[in-house]
Amino acid sequence: MKNTTPLLKVDSVGIQFGGLKAVSGVNIELFEGELAGLIGPNGAGKTTFFNLLTGVYVPTEGSISLSGEKLKNLAPYKITKKGISRTFQNIRLFGELSVIDNVKVAYHSLSRHTIAESIFRLPRHFSGESEMEEKALEFLKIFKLDGYKEEKAKNLPYGQQRRLEIARALAAQPKLLLLDEPAAGMNPQETRDLMELIGFIRKKFNLTVLLIEHDMPLVMGVCERIYVLDHGQLIASGSPEEVRSNPKVIEAYLGEEVS
């Protein structure tokens, strides 16, 4: 029986910068295990909305709840611990760190050993580090990056850097994974491979996924439900078929049918 309580509930959320309403009155519900898309023209407010979900920005109106718990005014690292993890439109890796260390960084936020235990090199520090190494390697294997584990992240090809960023986001053990244009800059084959991988990890880790993507055939092909933003407001939501034929969506995309 499907859980009727949403994992993520966004209730009339908005944010204003000076006199500009970047996002206004947005209502979204995501259920456990759902794969949903957030689309809209450039400047529609999609990344701003992700920043509201992750605590980068604090809403000036409305509320955001994860598993029934309010997130407003929580720092980004606390929201990560609550179960929301993300990638970015522009890849943000630690370029000088190794591939495996980039993934281990995410585990440190969940580490059970204390700073003092690390400073004095106590036994729990070493056992914790060993556990993080093993878990990080497991994720690298899933993303077929284990052969590059000691390589500097900046030396990876672009498509593999995208995979590494997603692996790092997963290492934080999220309930909700936010992907900001994960296929940006990829060629068609890399895009197909990535979306198959997203479907796989969603099932394997029982994840809820919300993705921003400009590749309309891709979004329409993988998402069960789609939300559409335009000028910071939600103008449509529903199945791919419903969104594709919605007059407001067609108008927002300059009269070109979304296909």
Side-chain angles (χ1 to χ4, degrees):
M1 183 176 178
K2 183 177 178 180
N3 190 350
T4 57
T5 302
L7 173 70
L8 176 75
K9 184 174 177 61
V10 179
D11 188 11
S12 300
V13 156
I15 186 168
Q16 185 168 324
F17 300 105
L20 173 66
K21 285 190 174 183
V23 173
S24 179
V26 172
N27 295 288
I28 283 180
E29 289 185 348
L30 294 178
F31 293 86
E32 186 176 317
E34 190 172 12
L35 174 52
L38 180 65
I39 67 172
N42 288 329
K46 302 182 298 295
T47 295
T48 298
F49 181 70
F50 268 24
N51 287 337
L52 289 168
L53 295 182
T54 54
V56 176
Y57 298 149
V58 177
T60 51
E61 60 183 54
S63 64
I64 300 169
S65 301
L66 184 72
S67 300
E69 186 175 355
K70 301 288 187 184
L71 300 182
K72 191 172 181 179
N73 296 320
L74 290 183
Y77 78 92
K78 290 185 177 179
I79 290 177
T80 299
K81 286 188 173 184
K82 295 291 184 184
I84 298 180
S85 190
R86 73 176 292 184
T87 65
F88 295 86
Q89 184 177 349
N90 299 312
I91 296 173
R92 297 186 186 181
L93 295 172
F94 298 101
E96 295 295 331
L97 291 183
S98 69
V99 167
I100 195 166
D101 282 344
N102 265 272
V103 179
K104 286 168 65 177
V105 163
Y107 279 119
H108 276 285
S109 67
L110 306 172
S111 175
R112 291 189 297 272
H113 59 269
T114 66
I115 294 176
E117 287 170 329
S118 295
I119 292 173
F120 294 106
R121 319 294 282 179
L122 297 179
R124 202 161 93 157
H125 160 78
F126 290 106
S127 64
E129 287 293 319
S130 177
E131 182 181 355
M132 281 189 280
E133 184 92 12
E134 290 177 8
K135 288 182 177 179
L137 188 56
E138 286 177 13
F139 276 107
L140 292 182
K141 287 178 180 177
I142 290 171
F143 285 83
K144 298 181 180 178
L145 292 170
D146 49 310
Y148 304 93
K149 68 176 184 176
E150 300 302 336
E151 185 75 48
K152 285 186 177 181
K154 68 178 184 180
N155 294 335
L156 291 180
Y158 184 85
Q160 291 179 338
Q161 288 190 29
R162 281 282 179 195
R163 285 172 171 258
L164 177 56
E165 191 180 34
I166 297 172
R168 186 179 62 185
L170 280 176
Q173 300 177 24
K175 300 174 185 175
L176 171 62
L177 178 62
L178 306 176
L179 301 175
D180 194 346
E181 295 194 40
M186 289 187 171
N187 63 44
Q189 184 59 53
E190 288 175 329
T191 297
R192 285 192 293 270
D193 291 345
L194 177 66
M195 298 317 295
E196 286 179 8
L197 182 60
I198 289 172
F200 169 75
I201 62 176
R202 168 207 178 192
K203 292 179 181 178
K204 180 176 177 63
F205 298 102
N206 193 30
L207 278 174
T208 304
V209 180
L210 177 63
L211 65 90
I212 293 172
E213 188 51 66
H214 282 291
D215 187 327
M216 289 301 101
L218 185 154
V219 171
M220 295 293 169
V222 302
C223 292
E224 299 154 335
R225 190 150 49 121
I226 297 172
Y227 292 93
V228 188
L229 279 180
D230 187 30
H231 294 94
Q233 294 186 319
L234 193 67
I235 61 169
S237 65
S239 68
E241 293 75 19
E242 291 169 332
V243 167
R244 183 184 289 114
S245 59
N246 188 298
K248 290 183 178 179
V249 177
I250 296 171
E251 182 182 354
Y253 280 91
L254 305 178
E256 297 177 7
E257 186 173 356
V258 180
S259 60

mmCIF file of all heavy atoms in Angstrom, residues 8 21 51 58 79 81 87 136 144 165 173 195 219 225 239 241 256:
data_model
loop_
_atom_site.group_PDB
_atom_site.id
_atom_site.type_symbol
_atom_site.label_atom_id
_atom_site.label_comp_id
_atom_site.label_asym_id
_atom_site.label_seq_id
_atom_site.Cartn_x
_atom_site.Cartn_y
_atom_site.Cartn_z
ATOM 1 N N LEU A 8 8.393 14.954 1.148
ATOM 2 C CA LEU A 8 8.667 16.395 1.097
ATOM 3 C C LEU A 8 7.359 17.136 0.874
ATOM 4 O O LEU A 8 6.600 16.801 -0.031
ATOM 5 C CB LEU A 8 9.632 16.718 -0.049
ATOM 6 C CG LEU A 8 9.927 18.215 -0.260
ATOM 7 C CD1 LEU A 8 10.866 18.740 0.817
ATOM 8 C CD2 LEU A 8 10.507 18.473 -1.651
ATOM 9 N N LYS A 21 10.295 39.156 -6.399
ATOM 10 C CA LYS A 21 9.870 37.843 -5.928
ATOM 11 C C LYS A 21 10.460 36.783 -6.853
ATOM 12 O O LYS A 21 9.960 36.554 -7.963
ATOM 13 C CB LYS A 21 8.344 37.734 -5.895
ATOM 14 C CG LYS A 21 7.708 38.493 -4.740
ATOM 15 C CD LYS A 21 6.234 38.151 -4.610
ATOM 16 C CE LYS A 21 5.639 38.790 -3.365
ATOM 17 N NZ LYS A 21 4.217 38.410 -3.187
ATOM 18 N N ASN A 51 17.823 25.940 -3.791
ATOM 19 C CA ASN A 51 18.533 26.621 -2.704
ATOM 20 C C ASN A 51 17.640 26.819 -1.482
ATOM 21 O O ASN A 51 18.119 26.804 -0.339
ATOM 22 C CB ASN A 51 19.070 27.968 -3.182
ATOM 23 C CG ASN A 51 20.266 27.828 -4.113
ATOM 24 O OD1 ASN A 51 20.969 26.816 -4.091
ATOM 25 N ND2 ASN A 51 20.505 28.840 -4.933
ATOM 26 N N VAL A 58 16.751 31.247 2.966
ATOM 27 C CA VAL A 58 15.647 31.038 3.913
ATOM 28 C C VAL A 58 14.376 31.627 3.303
ATOM 29 O O VAL A 58 14.368 32.792 2.894
ATOM 30 C CB VAL A 58 15.946 31.727 5.267
ATOM 31 C CG1 VAL A 58 14.755 31.563 6.222
ATOM 32 C CG2 VAL A 58 17.206 31.144 5.895
ATOM 33 N N ILE A 79 20.338 20.389 7.298
ATOM 34 C CA ILE A 79 19.357 19.851 6.351
ATOM 35 C C ILE A 79 19.917 18.613 5.668
ATOM 36 O O ILE A 79 19.197 17.638 5.429
ATOM 37 C CB ILE A 79 18.953 20.936 5.328
ATOM 38 C CG1 ILE A 79 18.110 22.012 6.046
ATOM 39 C CG2 ILE A 79 18.165 20.334 4.165
ATOM 40 C CD1 ILE A 79 17.700 23.172 5.174
ATOM 41 N N LYS A 81 21.953 16.503 7.061
ATOM 42 C CA LYS A 81 21.823 15.441 8.064
ATOM 43 C C LYS A 81 20.379 14.950 8.188
ATOM 44 O O LYS A 81 20.142 13.784 8.510
ATOM 45 C CB LYS A 81 22.328 15.925 9.424
ATOM 46 C CG LYS A 81 23.839 16.019 9.510
ATOM 47 C CD LYS A 81 24.295 16.304 10.935
ATOM 48 C CE LYS A 81 25.810 16.222 11.053
ATOM 49 N NZ LYS A 81 26.300 16.403 12.437
ATOM 50 N N THR A 87 23.242 17.886 -6.020
ATOM 51 C CA THR A 87 24.343 18.226 -6.906
ATOM 52 C C THR A 87 24.070 19.634 -7.431
ATOM 53 O O THR A 87 23.019 20.219 -7.160
ATOM 54 C CB THR A 87 24.466 17.250 -8.089
ATOM 55 O OG1 THR A 87 23.297 17.360 -8.907
ATOM 56 C CG2 THR A 87 24.614 15.820 -7.594
ATOM 57 N N ALA A 136 32.945 4.358 0.728
ATOM 58 C CA ALA A 136 33.229 5.218 -0.419
ATOM 59 C C ALA A 136 33.577 4.381 -1.638
ATOM 60 O O ALA A 136 33.137 4.665 -2.758
ATOM 61 C CB ALA A 136 34.365 6.178 -0.087
ATOM 62 N N LYS A 144 31.250 3.029 -11.425
ATOM 63 C CA LYS A 144 32.368 2.613 -12.283
ATOM 64 C C LYS A 144 33.517 3.611 -12.241
ATOM 65 O O LYS A 144 34.127 3.944 -13.270
ATOM 66 C CB LYS A 144 31.878 2.404 -13.723
ATOM 67 C CG LYS A 144 30.830 1.301 -13.838
ATOM 68 C CD LYS A 144 30.370 1.095 -15.264
ATOM 69 C CE LYS A 144 29.321 -0.011 -15.334
ATOM 70 N NZ LYS A 144 28.804 -0.230 -16.708
ATOM 71 N N GLU A 165 30.165 13.543 -8.609
ATOM 72 C CA GLU A 165 29.380 14.464 -7.785
ATOM 73 C C GLU A 165 28.113 13.780 -7.262
ATOM 74 O O GLU A 165 27.713 13.979 -6.115
ATOM 75 C CB GLU A 165 29.022 15.716 -8.580
ATOM 76 C CG GLU A 165 28.443 16.811 -7.683
ATOM 77 C CD GLU A 165 28.078 18.075 -8.440
ATOM 78 O OE1 GLU A 165 27.652 17.970 -9.606
ATOM 79 O OE2 GLU A 165 28.182 19.154 -7.848
ATOM 80 N N GLN A 173 23.875 9.726 2.431
ATOM 81 C CA GLN A 173 22.738 8.876 2.792
ATOM 82 C C GLN A 173 21.416 9.659 2.840
ATOM 83 O O GLN A 173 20.711 9.667 3.847
ATOM 84 C CB GLN A 173 23.000 8.184 4.136
ATOM 85 C CG GLN A 173 24.239 7.302 4.122
ATOM 86 C CD GLN A 173 24.549 6.679 5.465
ATOM 87 O OE1 GLN A 173 23.674 6.522 6.309
ATOM 88 N NE2 GLN A 173 25.809 6.334 5.664
ATOM 89 N N MET A 195 21.083 8.575 -17.018
ATOM 90 C CA MET A 195 19.692 8.443 -16.599
ATOM 91 C C MET A 195 19.360 7.005 -16.244
ATOM 92 O O MET A 195 18.566 6.748 -15.329
ATOM 93 C CB MET A 195 18.758 8.965 -17.681
ATOM 94 C CG MET A 195 18.942 10.458 -17.984
ATOM 95 S SD MET A 195 19.139 11.520 -16.511
ATOM 96 C CE MET A 195 17.543 11.343 -15.724
ATOM 97 N N VAL A 219 13.487 14.279 -19.685
ATOM 98 C CA VAL A 219 12.585 14.478 -18.542
ATOM 99 C C VAL A 219 11.274 13.729 -18.761
ATOM 100 O O VAL A 219 10.774 13.031 -17.873
ATOM 101 C CB VAL A 219 12.310 15.978 -18.319
ATOM 102 C CG1 VAL A 219 11.209 16.170 -17.281
ATOM 103 C CG2 VAL A 219 13.568 16.688 -17.867
ATOM 104 N N ARG A 225 6.281 12.339 -12.574
ATOM 105 C CA ARG A 225 5.506 13.565 -12.378
ATOM 106 C C ARG A 225 6.420 14.751 -12.647
ATOM 107 O O ARG A 225 7.619 14.692 -12.373
ATOM 108 C CB ARG A 225 4.967 13.626 -10.943
ATOM 109 C CG ARG A 225 3.947 14.723 -10.702
ATOM 110 C CD ARG A 225 2.944 14.328 -9.627
ATOM 111 N NE ARG A 225 3.568 13.811 -8.419
ATOM 112 C CZ ARG A 225 3.408 14.362 -7.212
ATOM 113 N NH1 ARG A 225 2.689 15.448 -7.077
ATOM 114 N NH2 ARG A 225 3.955 13.815 -6.155
ATOM 115 N N SER A 239 1.395 14.417 -14.866
ATOM 116 C CA SER A 239 2.139 13.405 -15.601
ATOM 117 C C SER A 239 2.810 14.054 -16.804
ATOM 118 O O SER A 239 2.429 15.163 -17.227
ATOM 119 C CB SER A 239 1.188 12.306 -16.074
ATOM 120 O OG SER A 239 0.314 12.813 -17.069
ATOM 121 N N GLU A 241 2.402 13.407 -19.870
ATOM 122 C CA GLU A 241 1.388 13.632 -20.893
ATOM 123 C C GLU A 241 0.577 14.892 -20.598
ATOM 124 O O GLU A 241 0.281 15.694 -21.495
ATOM 125 C CB GLU A 241 0.446 12.422 -20.986
ATOM 126 C CG GLU A 241 1.104 11.144 -21.497
ATOM 127 C CD GLU A 241 1.992 10.467 -20.451
ATOM 128 O OE1 GLU A 241 1.823 10.766 -19.241
ATOM 129 O OE2 GLU A 241 2.850 9.662 -20.838
ATOM 130 N N GLU A 256 6.574 26.754 -28.418
ATOM 131 C CA GLU A 256 7.063 25.508 -28.977
ATOM 132 C C GLU A 256 6.545 24.344 -28.142
ATOM 133 O O GLU A 256 6.664 24.346 -26.925
ATOM 134 C CB GLU A 256 8.591 25.488 -28.988
ATOM 135 C CG GLU A 256 9.193 26.574 -29.862
ATOM 136 C CD GLU A 256 10.700 26.567 -29.801
ATOM 137 O OE1 GLU A 256 11.265 25.634 -29.184
ATOM 138 O OE2 GLU A 256 11.311 27.478 -30.380
#
